[in-house]
Amino acid sequence: MDSEATRLTLTSVPTFAAIGHLESWDQINAVYRAMRPPSLAPLSDSELRELVPWIPPRTVTRFHVAAAPAAHPVSGIYVDTFLTPDDLALGPTRHLLARVDAAIRAAEREGARVATLGGFTSILLEAMAQPPLADLILTTGNTLTAALIVRGVERAARLLGRPLECETLLVIGATGDVGSACARCFAGRTRRLLLAARNRKRLEDEAIRLRRRGPVAESTDVSTLLKEATLIIAAASAPAPCFNLADCHPDALICDAGYPKNIRFVPEDVQRRRVFWGGMGVLGGGLWSDDGILEAFYRFPSTHTAHGCMLEGAALAIAERFEPFSTGRGNITPERVDEMSRLSRASGIMLAPLFDGAGLWPEENANDGRA
Amino acid sequence: MNTNTTAPSITHEYRGVFADILSQAITGELIGMANYAAMVRMYPDAEGQCDAVAHAANEFGHSQAFRRAADDLEVTPIVNLDAPYWQRLRQTFLRYVDAGDRIACMVIQEVMLESFAVSMYYAVADVAHDKLAKVFRSIGDEEEGHVDHAIGELQEALAANREEFENKLEVLHDEVMTTLAEMLGARDTVGHCGLCKGDCVKGSLHHVGLDRSRLRGLALNHYLRVLDRIGVRGDRSLKWIARLPV
């Protein structure tokens, strides 16, 4: 990574933007704690709830990424929609879409060349409601998320000595953009493939498509499949955790890639089960903000770690490939996942060490075979 | 648009709340009038001076319209330019007039005070009975025009030197928006505001379908959107907002 002096002289015009929302009120609180001078008392939850919903979408922090320690950093911004967890619970309302649109405009005003839409904000682009923009290119970031999930599952299975071909894999959210990409990448590689999603028609279509490559079963009732699956990829769009760890197979290996998380992580319920947060990557040359705000609310057990959706923008910016790599829903093929894997590796993005709600997996050794 | 589906009943509580709101509005407009009048000498040319005079007259006209609305409602508003919050705002403004800093004066009057006024007037118009709602809405529309009037010149000032402009705005924010936030805050730092007839009106707003935290939120939202239109970086204005009193 470059010296502190170099970081401070970086241009303020960002090359890429990560658009998103915070996952919980705790995370929102962390942002404001970091922003308020130490002489002022932290805002209470009720004070935050009075303030945050009124803030128009805007840049929250400026940060930099680098492909390698000696590489030239690329500048980015994190633009928050200021959608609250309470807003997300209401589903895709006009209010939500208007906020995503305003966040895109904020990124455009900043001069970013490519913007990724993280978490719930990707619904705008998945629905192909691409707003007319002069110079800003949008990508959902879903292809890199899917690529990191696939690499994470492969690594977890390897670390635990569990051959994939012996596993019954359940994909929750199997008709979503990320879930369908993961299902396609693993079709024919596991003993059985179980697909769960809310939309029956889309689910049946996806199952028919994948059945050519191996045994596939599908259901809109996740609860029965949870007990059967020994390997689970949870990639549903849900405003809050909606599945209990205790309801999963006693030996389940679970990749929770939801944002917010799909599975309620209760340490007592782990027992023989193993859980990791999927879709996470690390920047080889670092990820740091000018003002320390990013580090205050975006914290993981390993450093320089970020969600795949955010990193897809970084990968495209580092590679100077300003293109809408991920758009629409259900368009991500295994070939596109491979292409993004190669692109992200070349941009210094590796799979993050595996971790769950309690911290890093004990089996993890830093930088051990994760690329 | 009045969001009330039925006309509100004009009760004793209703009159009491609107008397206090009108006291704030009339006093605020007269402060605005005095501020624009003080700005006359800051313009080197007759055109600019006439413009400031016209704005001052306009603000006076608004205060008169609010007085008439008070008469219609059969309430007597309190007009007190020495009310602690307003006096503090006025003194800050005059300091920048004395310093000959026209940009600072525009920011205080046309961005900060007008954001506060416009958002409050529209919110009040949404709950008031038809005649009063029309007064608040039409004055809100005119005040919005003041904000628009300032944007172009402030954009030019920002383009000339972004860092210097944003630094100046930060200082003004801490001085002026802190006072405005206190006016709509849960706790008053000055004791009685000098305009409410009895207890603080903030505790009675629910009688007319208003809510202190909503008014505060609307004012901050309007202010931030104006800063965005000027081109102030969002991460800077967010930090300013984060340290306002609640």
Side-chain angles (χ1 to χ4, degrees):
Chain A
M1 200 183 306
D2 280 13
S3 70
E4 194 69 21
T6 312
R7 289 181 195 173
L8 294 175
T9 56
L10 288 170
T11 171
S12 64
V13 178
T15 308
F16 71 101
I19 294 171
H21 56 85
L22 299 183
E23 209 175 356
S24 64
W25 283 103
D26 283 348
Q27 216 181 13
I28 293 170
N29 212 330
V31 173
Y32 287 89
R33 266 202 310 275
M35 283 187 177
R36 276 170 78 82
S39 57
L40 296 175
L43 296 176
S44 68
D45 277 0
S46 63
E47 288 166 342
L48 272 177
R49 283 167 196 264
E50 256 191 34
L51 171 66
V52 174
W54 299 102
I55 299 174
R58 63 195 44 251
T59 301
V60 169
T61 186
R62 290 164 200 279
F63 62 94
H64 312 283
V65 295
H72 182 72
V74 172
S75 299
I77 47 172
Y78 170 62
V79 178
D80 201 296
T81 52
F82 290 93
L83 286 165
T84 67
D86 308 338
D87 292 324
L88 300 182
L90 298 174
T93 58
R94 283 173 66 185
H95 165 71
L96 189 148
L97 295 174
R99 284 211 159 237
V100 176
D101 191 61
I104 291 168
R105 305 289 162 195
E108 191 181 32
R109 277 199 305 274
E110 290 269 8
R113 296 189 61 187
V114 61
T116 54
L117 300 175
F120 268 67
T121 70
S122 67
I123 61 167
L124 192 78
L125 208 50
E126 287 172 21
M128 295 304 285
Q130 168 98 24
L133 296 164
D135 298 310
L136 179 66
I137 287 160
L138 298 178
T139 186
T140 60
N142 287 344
T143 311
L144 184 50
T145 298
L148 291 169
I149 291 170
V150 171
R151 277 146 68 182
V153 168
E154 290 167 347
R155 176 166 173 78
R158 199 165 55 245
L159 282 173
L160 300 176
R162 292 170 56 156
L164 285 173
E165 58 272 22
C166 300
E167 304 287 343
T168 296
L169 169 63
L170 165 63
V171 180
I172 302 173
T175 61
D177 202 34
V178 172
S180 60
C182 294
R184 290 165 196 173
C185 287
F186 282 111
R189 296 178 61 194
T190 58
R191 192 170 70 86
R192 283 184 75 209
L193 180 57
L194 310 176
L195 306 179
R198 285 170 285 223
N199 186 307
R200 182 175 296 281
K201 174 74 175 68
R202 282 209 293 259
L203 185 61
E204 286 169 356
D205 289 347
E206 191 67 36
I208 290 166
R209 180 178 177 161
L210 297 180
R211 209 161 272 137
R212 282 172 256 158
R213 295 165 57 190
V216 176
E218 78 278 6
S219 175
T220 54
D221 178 12
V222 183
S223 58
T224 54
L225 302 182
L226 279 177
K227 289 184 169 47
E228 205 180 325
T230 56
L231 176 58
I232 298 169
I233 295 173
S237 287
C242 41
F243 306 110
N244 292 318
L245 198 50
D247 294 335
C248 299
H249 188 285
D251 292 308
L253 165 59
I254 302 157
C255 165
D256 191 345
Y259 185 89
K261 293 285 149 232
N262 285 183
I263 312 273
R264 281 181 205 92
F265 184 84
V266 179
E268 296 74 47
D269 290 340
V270 173
Q271 296 171 11
R272 297 202 312 269
R273 302 176 184 97
R274 299 301 300 268
V275 182
F276 72 95
W277 292 12
M280 308 299 296
V282 290
L283 258 305
L287 164 67
W288 67 97
S289 65
D290 285 340
D291 52 13
I293 300 290
L294 190 72
E295 291 80 354
F297 74 89
Y298 203 56
R299 300 166 75 104
F300 301 103
S302 55
T303 54
H304 308 310
T305 299
H307 289 86
C309 53
M310 180 165 161
L311 292 172
E312 185 170 301
L316 293 170
I318 290 170
E320 297 188 4
R321 270 182 68 168
F322 299 106
E323 60 184 89
F325 198 95
S326 313
T327 55
R329 180 157 73 173
N331 296 334
I332 304 175
T333 61
E335 293 73 29
R336 289 290 276 174
V337 170
D338 286 344
E339 187 184 348
M340 179 46 77
S341 274
R342 285 192 298 275
L343 173 70
S344 60
R345 279 195 190 102
S347 299
I349 295 166
M350 299 173 295
L351 176 68
L354 303 182
F355 61 89
D356 61 18
L360 276 181
W361 272 27
E363 293 87 350
E364 278 292 2
N365 291 312
N367 299 320
D368 174 22
R370 283 180 282 109
Chain B
M1 183 185 64
N2 197 322
T3 55
N4 275 346
T5 49
T6 54
S9 340
I10 301 178
T11 59
H12 173 70
E13 284 87 1
Y14 182 94
R15 281 203 172 82
V17 170
F18 275 109
D20 289 343
I21 289 173
L22 285 163
S23 298
Q24 292 285 351
I26 294 166
T27 302
E29 292 296 339
L30 290 175
I31 292 283
M33 178 202 72
N35 286 351
Y36 280 118
M39 283 180 77
V40 171
R41 63 185 159 104
M42 303 178 85
Y43 287 91
D45 56 289
E47 194 185 343
Q49 290 168 358
C50 285
D51 208 31
V53 169
H55 274 110
N58 203 243
E59 300 291 89
F60 180 69
H62 294 164
S63 75
Q64 292 294 90
F66 284 134
R67 277 182 197 268
R68 285 193 294 275
D71 290 345
D72 284 344
L73 197 59
E74 297 171 352
V75 295
T76 309
I78 296 171
V79 179
N80 178 8
L81 302 191
D82 293 326
Y85 289 124
W86 286 110
Q87 190 187 48
R88 199 197 292 173
L89 293 166
R90 172 78 177 142
Q91 283 167 351
T92 304
F93 185 85
L94 287 177
R95 225 177 46 246
Y96 287 99
V97 172
D98 291 342
D101 191 339
R102 195 157 54 84
I103 291 294
C105 290
M106 286 178 73
V107 167
I108 294 173
Q109 180 59 38
E110 304 196 19
V111 173
M112 296 173 174
L113 295 180
E114 301 296 14
S115 284
F116 179 78
V118 168
S119 59
M120 189 173 87
Y121 293 172
Y122 285 147
V124 170
D126 280 345
V127 298
H129 64 281
D130 198 42
K131 195 170 178 190
L132 186 58
K134 275 186 187 147
V135 175
F136 273 101
R137 184 159 295 110
S138 67
I139 294 177
D141 289 344
E142 285 186 32
E143 298 291 22
E144 189 97 87
H146 288 176
V147 178
D148 293 341
H149 169 262
I151 299 269
E153 195 167 341
L154 296 176
Q155 282 172 335
E156 281 175 27
L158 178 139
N161 189 334
R162 170 181 286 281
E163 210 58 38
E164 191 179 288
F165 181 84
E166 289 182 343
N167 289 344
K168 177 187 293 212
L169 228 67
E170 183 168 4
V171 172
L172 295 170
H173 169 91
D174 285 340
E175 291 184 87
V176 177
M177 290 307 291
T178 300
T179 302
L180 291 172
E182 281 177 17
M183 287 172 84
L184 286 172
R187 291 174 292 276
D188 282 300
T189 56
V190 298
H192 195 280
C193 72
L195 290 171
C196 291
K197 267 213 166 68
D199 291 339
C200 178
V201 71
K202 286 185 278 190
S204 310
L205 290 170
H206 63 276
H207 288 304
V208 298
L210 289 172
D211 176 88
R212 177 202 61 79
S213 75
R214 180 175 159 77
L215 289 178
R216 183 178 184 277
L218 286 167
L220 290 180
N221 179 273
H222 194 281
Y223 168 61
L224 285 171
R225 284 190 289 117
V226 172
L227 295 185
D228 290 347
R229 283 173 66 195
I230 295 168
V232 175
R233 284 172 287 192
D235 46 330
R236 286 207 70 170
S237 53
L238 182 62
K239 289 188 181 85
W240 305 343
I241 288 288
R243 60 181 185 240
L244 284 176
V246 287

